[in-house]
Amino acid sequence: MTARSRHALLALTAAGLALSLAACAAPADDAASDTVTIRVAATVTPMTDAVEAAAEVIEEGYEVELVPVNDYVQPNVLLQHSEIDANVVQFEGFMEDFNAANDADLVVVQPVYATVVAFYSQSLTDLQELPQGGSIAIPNDRSNAGRALQLLAEEGIIELDPAVEPFQAGVADITANPRELEITQIDLLQLNTAYDEMDAVFNLPSFARQLGLTPAEDGLAVEQDPAFEVSLVTRADNADAPEIAALTRALTSDHVREVLEELGVPAAF
């Protein structure tokens, strides 16, 4: 055999080996490419914790990618424009307000956990201690504002127009404010700052936790209603997709329940 022939034989052998290795790797590559990535937006704990826990137990063939966001509108915009597959940031009333304002078709798939809201204060131990002309901060979105005003009414601090449905009232629906309280509506993300400035602040558990506050230990008045359960939300045209069904099973798993309970958050499934 000539030197040229030996080189040709070695080249053919190497090419055959490469083809064999490529053939062995192909199934793994195919398996990876078959995995469906589900992109899910969440804002703060415990939303992010629930999504990350679901990612740990989602069934074979799927993976969950947490998409962190900084507010409560962006995840709905991303979902509306199919840039993500789902989000876990809101209750149904908030979503319906977004749908109405943006001609969107988002739908609730599954409640994930209950939200226990409360009024907090650095200076008061009871809402009945609110002074004449005192200051209160409540959220500026319709759903959470209605919830805050309803809680104030139930505590006898203000009176609301009885013709307005519970949780639907706005500041304009206050019919009696005997303490002449100054009620200021601010963005959800500013509620923690207002805690240092106002006599009392309505707050969500996600933000209150950042201040080291819990409804059970620090809330001056507390409310938990099933209408405000934070839920898995997607688009109507995506609600029956297999990946959303898999995500729902993962989010309602015992593992997610345990993670929520460790955070002191009641599961809603």
Side-chain angles (χ1 to χ4, degrees):
M1 181 180 293
T2 65
R4 177 173 295 181
S5 298
R6 282 197 298 273
H7 288 158
L9 179 60
L10 288 172
L12 287 171
T13 301
L17 179 59
L19 287 172
S20 298
L21 290 174
C24 291
D29 291 343
D30 288 347
S33 64
D34 289 341
T35 299
V36 175
T37 300
I38 310 170
R39 305 189 74 215
V40 186
T43 305
V44 294
T45 182
M47 303 165 185
T48 50
D49 298 278
V51 174
E52 289 174 336
E56 294 170 356
V57 297
I58 191 124
E59 59 208 52
E60 186 175 355
Y62 299 96
E63 64 181 8
V64 176
E65 178 186 346
L66 171 64
V67 179
V69 288
N70 296 322
D71 62 35
Y72 289 85
V73 176
Q74 183 186 9
N76 282 344
V77 174
L78 293 173
L79 185 56
Q80 180 185 14
H81 295 287
S82 302
E83 296 181 39
I84 59 175
D85 302 295
N87 64 49
V88 182
V89 299
Q90 64 202 307
F91 50 81
E92 187 168 10
F94 190 95
M95 179 201 73
E96 289 176 345
D97 287 346
F98 177 85
N99 281 345
N102 297 278
D103 193 26
D105 60 350
L106 308 187
V107 295
V108 166
V109 178
Q110 169 67 49
V112 178
Y113 66 86
T115 57
V116 185
V117 295
F119 275 94
Y120 299 92
S121 174
Q122 293 207 65
S123 57
L124 310 177
T125 59
D126 192 300
L127 279 183
Q128 302 304 325
E129 297 173 3
L130 277 165
Q132 195 73 19
S135 57
I136 290 180
I138 67 173
N140 62 2
D141 67 277
R142 189 188 66 83
S143 297
N144 282 305
R147 197 177 185 183
L149 293 173
Q150 184 70 33
L151 187 50
L152 286 175
E154 291 174 357
E155 292 295 315
I157 304 299
I158 61 172
E159 294 180 15
L160 298 173
D161 184 345
V164 179
E165 292 290 327
F167 304 119
Q168 299 299 312
V171 172
D173 298 311
I174 297 174
T175 56
N177 181 8
R179 303 175 196 234
E180 298 181 324
L181 299 171
E182 181 183 350
I183 300 175
T184 303
Q185 293 188 261
I186 60 176
D187 188 87
L188 288 171
L189 300 177
Q190 301 302 317
L191 291 172
N192 283 1
T193 300
Y195 178 70
D196 294 327
E197 303 167 351
M198 301 283 191
D199 291 312
V201 175
F202 175 93
N203 212 342
L204 307 180
S206 301
F207 299 120
R209 188 176 291 108
Q210 295 173 6
L211 297 174
L213 305 173
T214 66
E217 296 185 4
D218 307 292
L220 304 184
V222 176
E223 177 261 288
Q224 176 183 340
D225 191 284
F228 300 99
E229 292 170 341
V230 172
S231 300
L232 170 64
V233 168
T234 189
R235 295 179 307 280
D237 65 0
N238 199 40
D240 296 326
E243 57 267 30
I244 297 301
L247 178 61
T248 302
R249 289 190 288 273
L251 275 171
T252 55
S253 65
D254 289 342
H255 181 57
V256 172
R257 180 188 299 277
E258 291 168 1
V259 168
L260 291 172
E261 289 177 350
E262 288 174 1
L263 294 169
V265 177
F269 53 87

